[in-house]
Amino acid sequence: ALFEAYANEAAAAAEDEEAVSAKGGKGGGRFLSTAEAAQLRAAHGAARRGALAAVSELAPLLSAAQLAALFAFLIGRGPFEDDDAAAHAAGVQAAMDALDSPAAGAGGVALVLPLLDRKLASAADADSDTADRLNGALVACVGCAAMRLGEGDARVNAALSRLLAALHTPAEYVQKAVSGVLARLCARPDVKGRAGDLLADL
């Protein structure tokens, strides 16, 4: 229901934006001032943030299968690309809370990492603000997911490689996201000893 609430608000916002553009400032058949159009966008953004905040609250109750469904939604239906900064941040926070949930340590990460890797591979070369928001969210999730893996798990090294590659993306948003999760990963005992080598690769 929360997924649908977000999707419905996103669709309504897109329709209103299209109407305003097509009618030279008219929404719902009437003229909208710049302030009214901004208020309408803010209202839709607030509704999307509310849906995502509720997802965060429910994160501790998710099963592994529900965790995978959540990430399919976050990746494929808009939250990681949301152009409302607060709604985008709420989507990323919902992902972080989900990855910190018991489900992530009970096989959920094994289901989520392939989703993240596939989307990163397909979005890596995209050049737009939307792509930057998506890539920043994806790399933050890769790093957080890797934190849940056990010592010696080969997927930790794969995550590090993915993050280091993303660090060369010129987008500031992506670089900040990568820097934050790299700092956390490098604090792991099985990674800490390689910090010098990792820095040399930058």
Side-chain angles (χ1 to χ4, degrees):
L2 292 173
F3 295 174
E4 289 306 316
Y6 175 93
N8 290 339
E9 281 299 327
E15 289 175 3
D16 285 341
E17 288 289 341
E18 184 177 346
V20 169
S21 297
K23 299 174 183 178
K26 292 182 181 179
R30 68 182 185 85
F31 180 80
L32 291 179
S33 68
T34 302
E36 287 176 319
Q39 289 174 350
L40 191 60
R41 283 192 293 272
H44 286 305
R48 298 198 301 277
R49 292 196 299 274
L52 294 169
V55 171
S56 284
E57 292 298 319
L58 293 173
L61 306 177
L62 296 176
S63 67
Q66 289 169 331
L67 184 72
L70 169 61
F71 273 84
F73 162 72
L74 292 171
I75 293 169
R77 297 188 65 185
F80 281 176
E81 300 177 351
D82 203 307
D83 60 2
D84 180 281
H88 179 267
V92 175
Q93 187 59 55
M96 298 296 103
D97 290 339
L99 288 170
D100 283 337
S101 72
V109 165
L111 299 175
V112 168
L113 274 173
L115 297 176
L116 297 172
D117 284 337
R118 282 197 297 272
K119 191 62 177 179
L120 267 173
S122 66
D125 296 327
D127 183 18
S128 68
D129 290 341
T130 299
D132 289 344
R133 289 191 293 271
L134 173 61
N135 284 326
L138 291 171
V139 296
C141 290
V142 167
C144 189
M147 289 296 298
R148 300 303 303 268
L149 299 173
E151 288 191 25
D153 193 312
R155 289 174 295 180
V156 175
N157 287 334
L160 282 169
S161 297
R162 178 72 77 183
L163 292 171
L164 289 171
L167 195 57
H168 295 291
T169 302
E172 182 180 0
Y173 186 91
V174 177
Q175 291 178 353
K176 285 183 177 180
V178 174
S179 297
V181 293
L182 271 178
R184 291 181 62 190
L185 272 178
C186 286
R188 285 176 54 119
D190 56 338
V191 177
K192 195 171 184 179
R194 299 175 49 215
D197 293 336
L198 292 173
L199 288 173
D201 288 339
L202 298 179

